[in-house]
Amino acid sequence: MKAIEAKIVVLGSQGVGKTSIVAKYISNIYSKEIGPTIGASFFTCKINLNNVKVKMQLWDTAGQERFKAMAPMYYRNANAALLVFDVTNHTSFDEVKGWVLELQKNVQESMFLLLVGNKIDLEERRAVSHEEAVMYAQSIGAQFIETSVVRDQGIEQVFISIGLGLINLSSESKCSSMRRYESKDSLLSSTHSSMTNLSGIQYYDGVHMAIDISQSVEANGVGRVEIGGAWEREAYAHGYPQKTGWCC
Amino acid sequence: MSDISNFSDDDDSRQEDCALVDALSELNFEENNIENIRKRKNSDNQEQSETNSDPCSSNSLNFVDEEYDYLHDSEWINQKCQVFILSTAGKPIYTLHGDEDKLNPLFGLLQALVSVVSVSSNGNPDEDDDCIRSITAKNTKFVFLIKNPLILVGVNKSKRSEQQILNQLMDVYNQIIFIVTLKHMKNVYEKRNNYDLRKLVAGSERWIDHLLKDEKQTRISNNSFVSLMHSVRILPMEATTRDNITKTIQTNCSKIKNLVFAVLIANNKLITLVRMKNYCMHTDDLRLIFNVVECSESFKTAENWLPLCLPKFDPNGALYCHISYLSDDCEACLLLMTVDQESFSVLSNAKKNITEKLRRSNYMEAINEGIKDKGINLKTIGVPDIRHFLYKNKKNTQLLCSEITTPYNTLEQFERIEAMYYDLHNRIHRVSRPLKLIYEMHEHEIQLAWVTANYELYATFEPLVEKKSIIIAQVNKLLKYIKKEEDKIFMTGTHIF
């Protein structure tokens, strides 16, 4: 079985729910008491998609200003970035734009970008419209998903689309820092708990198709993948085809 | 053993009867004073005093109209302990109770008090001798700690001494340095002296809250005494087990370059500490680490990688710290501190190996056993007349406490006995007249404090023990027990990589 190992960084302002999204997916917990992340937390998780085993090394960073200087340490060599903003807070959306600029400036390699608008359960306080976010995602070649940790909407999709994005990235060999190897584990022996949830989805050919909407998600575009231009070859977020002899 | 009755001589502290509220209502008066001083002064300090008094005067208007009620809010005003942090420019940074922004006029007042005293002396705020140190108003003490660019003010209505409040403020100050490093803070303030430090401290305020023991539910704990005694508590376990755990850490970390400290802690107690040759971990730094680990639930779920500054080790630089719990079934937290910010994966591997080795050798169970320990059980060692004690091993600044049992296991009673210990500690260590022994009979208990070259003992007895010989016998028995179990309840020796 083919396997890839990739580094993913989660970026965004303070209090937008970065840790909540990750914790919800990895350990299926949601707690209001979780407290702000200090520095960064490191998680690993595995997903099997399209017969490829994707091993993710997730860096959940802190949104506080004083940790901003540390960010390059985490996004350097990252293969994907999860850019999280709070749909009720327009400033956090603007700050995501700052992160994108910083990534474009400092990261040479291709990177899969996923824009996540969190807290859609607070619809009445929404400050960033769906259209605005989709437009922006398209302009930077990112995918866009809206999520709610409280209602468990879109969380699964976030990680599936990262996985598919990474597979796609690796199949086009644009990314020298991503590790590719043959895994001896069979699909069934995967220990990850979310495997069962994934079973309905993993047979899709994810590359040109939006992720299926599971029952828990309302059919209003919420929590589903918006296809930006991310899948076309020219439309990667940024970065250039791999140069020979390039070293990171 | 003789009776030493000890009366506090607080006569000089009985000054005019003014509480915090009264001090507040003097705001306008104070402000006029500043104005006068400003008019009178035409020295080179004028520029500074101008910037200093600006926030004060602009806010005093709001103060009278809208904020008046909040400042007199009875819940806020009746707190026994208040801590305020502001910048020397008068910007609010932190308040233990209430909301900094609503208390803005108060911060103006505090800043005014500090600047009036330092300006009217010789105008050099850096000079320690010319700073306001404290104000005593009946039972309320206002203690100032001026550490440019910060001013920390502690207000306390309990019996704590000025020095004890100052120590508390020092801890808070160190916690801030722990978060932002002194160098960074100075840089920021050099660039902009009206900088809002809350931006940098954001997300870590609860570390300060926790340090000041604000939470009621965890209040009844021997942990409250570590700051009083300036020491750390040790997780009890067999000496050989502890040695083997230490060796496990040593063997897995000895090849890692630039690793400065490895600390294993559980339940606010130290299990072991391994350090780089020639570098020491100060007790104060260790207490800050305990504090941070204790109130960061998120450390439990993942590996964490963060820069931390140990103020006693080096206030100007940060160590990168790999923090993680050993496993779900063993709530011991391992901290690996390095100066190399690239070594996360190396440390992560080392941690994995340590965990595996500890699990294979069944040391996890030994640690779990230690976590359950609530302190020395006095009944089982045969000293039933001692209700509670604190024993500080002076040589290695380690603290041993007995289990908190009736009658001190209610919040009210615990706070009472805690205040008594504070008072006792203060009197035996009074600078003007240090004592060796205090023996007192109170209404509800008998208390003994004894300071020797090697240890300090503070013990509380049943009130009805009449014969002093019984007390002496029981104290001796307790000391004998501590001596016998020393290897288990204290950590002796130091370990290097």
Side-chain angles (χ1 to χ4, degrees), chain B residues 92-114:
Chain B
I93 296 169
Y94 173 83
T95 171
L96 178 57
H97 303 288
D99 177 320
E100 294 100 54
D101 289 325
K102 286 188 188 164
L103 296 171
N104 218 336
L106 179 72
F107 285 98
L109 168 71
L110 294 171
Q111 194 265 342
L113 284 172
V114 171

Side-chain angles (χ1 to χ4, degrees), chain B residues 85-324:
Chain B
I85 306 171
L86 56 152
S87 69
T88 34
K91 280 257 178 187
I93 296 169
Y94 173 83
T95 171
L96 178 57
H97 303 288
D99 177 320
E100 294 100 54
D101 289 325
K102 286 188 188 164
L103 296 171
N104 218 336
L106 179 72
F107 285 98
L109 168 71
L110 294 171
Q111 194 265 342
L113 284 172
V114 171
S115 67
V116 162
V117 175
S118 61
V119 166
S120 58
S121 46
N122 66 8
N124 186 356
D126 283 328
E127 213 164 295
D128 263 9
D129 289 343
D130 295 325
C131 289
I132 184 166
R133 296 246 177 116
S134 71
I135 303 171
T136 310
K138 208 176 176 184
N139 295 324
T140 310
K141 288 194 188 74
F142 301 73
V143 180
F144 294 79
L145 176 66
I146 296 152
K147 287 270 185 189
N148 247 336
L150 299 185
I151 299 170
L152 295 95
V153 187
V155 181
N156 210 303
K157 291 182 190 169
S158 61
K159 273 188 176 173
R160 293 192 187 185
S161 71
E162 193 186 318
Q163 189 57 45
Q164 284 166 347
I165 301 169
L166 204 59
N167 287 342
Q168 193 183 34
L169 293 180
M170 256 331 268
D171 281 348
V172 174
Y173 176 73
N174 282 334
Q175 183 73 75
I176 291 179
I177 299 300
F178 187 92
I179 300 167
V180 290
T181 78
L182 185 60
K183 194 172 161 192
H184 188 54
M185 185 164 74
K186 289 218 158 141
N187 279 347
V188 191
Y189 276 106
E190 248 160 51
K191 273 187 212 140
R192 270 176 57 199
N193 103 333
N194 63 347
Y195 185 80
D196 188 350
L197 195 70
R198 278 179 292 181
K199 278 189 210 157
L200 282 182
V201 183
S204 303
E205 298 91 345
R206 66 214 168 96
W207 293 358
I208 304 173
D209 290 342
H210 193 264
L211 194 67
L212 295 166
K213 304 281 182 304
D214 196 29
E215 294 124 33
K216 291 250 178 339
Q217 59 272 32
T218 53
R219 191 74 178 73
I220 307 171
S221 153
N222 281 322
N223 210 33
S224 312
F225 300 113
V226 290
S227 58
L228 169 69
M229 309 299 285
H230 271 277
S231 48
V232 289
R233 295 189 301 151
I234 306 295
L235 197 82
M237 59 170 59
E238 295 298 332
T240 48
T241 315
R242 199 189 304 277
D243 281 347
N244 286 330
I245 293 175
T246 311
K247 268 186 206 123
T248 310
I249 296 176
Q250 278 169 321
T251 48
N252 281 296
C253 293
S254 58
K255 293 216 177 75
I256 303 172
K257 271 189 196 158
N258 295 328
L259 187 61
V260 190
F261 297 114
V263 189
L264 186 62
I265 63 175
N267 194 18
N268 275 316
K269 293 175 194 167
L270 183 64
I271 298 172
T272 186
L273 190 156
V274 189
R275 60 189 175 83
M276 197 187 242
K277 207 177 168 183
N278 298 335
Y279 293 99
C280 283
M281 173 80 88
H282 194 282
T283 314
D284 287 357
D285 289 342
L286 206 49
R287 278 192 296 120
L288 292 178
I289 291 175
F290 280 119
N291 183 53
V292 167
V293 171
E294 166 83 355
C295 60
S296 303
E297 277 291 306
S298 57
F299 290 167
K300 284 184 185 165
T301 50
E303 288 176 63
N304 294 273
W305 183 240
L306 54 144
L308 292 179
C309 168
L310 301 177
K312 295 278 160 127
F313 178 72
D314 178 6
N316 291 319
L319 291 173
Y320 282 84
C321 192
H322 178 278
I323 305 182
S324 57

Side-chain angles (χ1 to χ4, degrees), chain A residues 14 19 23 26-27 29 33-44 59 64-67 70 73-74 76, chain B residues 179-180 195 199-204 206-207 296-299 301-307 320 341-342 344 348:
Chain A
Q14 129 188 24
T19 307
I26 304 241
S27 25
I29 45 164
E33 312 280 304
I34 201 153
T37 307
I38 312 296
S41 305
F42 181 73
F43 297 87
T44 51
W59 277 106
Q64 276 80 22
E65 190 177 301
R66 74 188 149 106
F67 295 114
M70 281 176 79
M73 200 159 95
Y74 305 117
R76 202 181 34 205
Chain B
I179 300 167
V180 290
Y195 185 80
K199 278 189 210 157
L200 282 182
V201 183
S204 303
R206 66 214 168 96
W207 293 358
S296 303
E297 277 291 306
S298 57
F299 290 167
T301 50
E303 288 176 63
N304 294 273
W305 183 240
L306 54 144
Y320 282 84
Q341 69 168 42
E342 303 293 330
F344 174 84
S348 179

Side-chain angles (χ1 to χ4, degrees), chain B residues 1 14 57 67 71 81 83 87 110 156 216 242 275 280 301 308-309 344 371 380 395 418 433 489:
Chain B
M1 214 176 270
R14 292 199 175 81
S57 48
E67 314 274 346
L71 286 167
C81 165
V83 172
S87 69
L110 294 171
N156 210 303
K216 291 250 178 339
R242 199 189 304 277
R275 60 189 175 83
C280 283
T301 50
L308 292 179
C309 168
F344 174 84
I371 291 174
T380 55
K395 201 175 79 196
E418 188 194 38
R433 193 177 50 170
I489 50 191

Side-chain angles (χ1 to χ4, degrees), chain B residues 66-84:
Chain B
E66 306 149 27
E67 314 274 346
Y68 194 81
D69 281 330
Y70 188 76
L71 286 167
H72 286 80
D73 178 72
S74 61
E75 198 188 317
W76 177 78
I77 216 117
N78 287 331
Q79 299 287 348
K80 270 190 202 149
C81 165
Q82 304 268 7
V83 172
F84 307 101

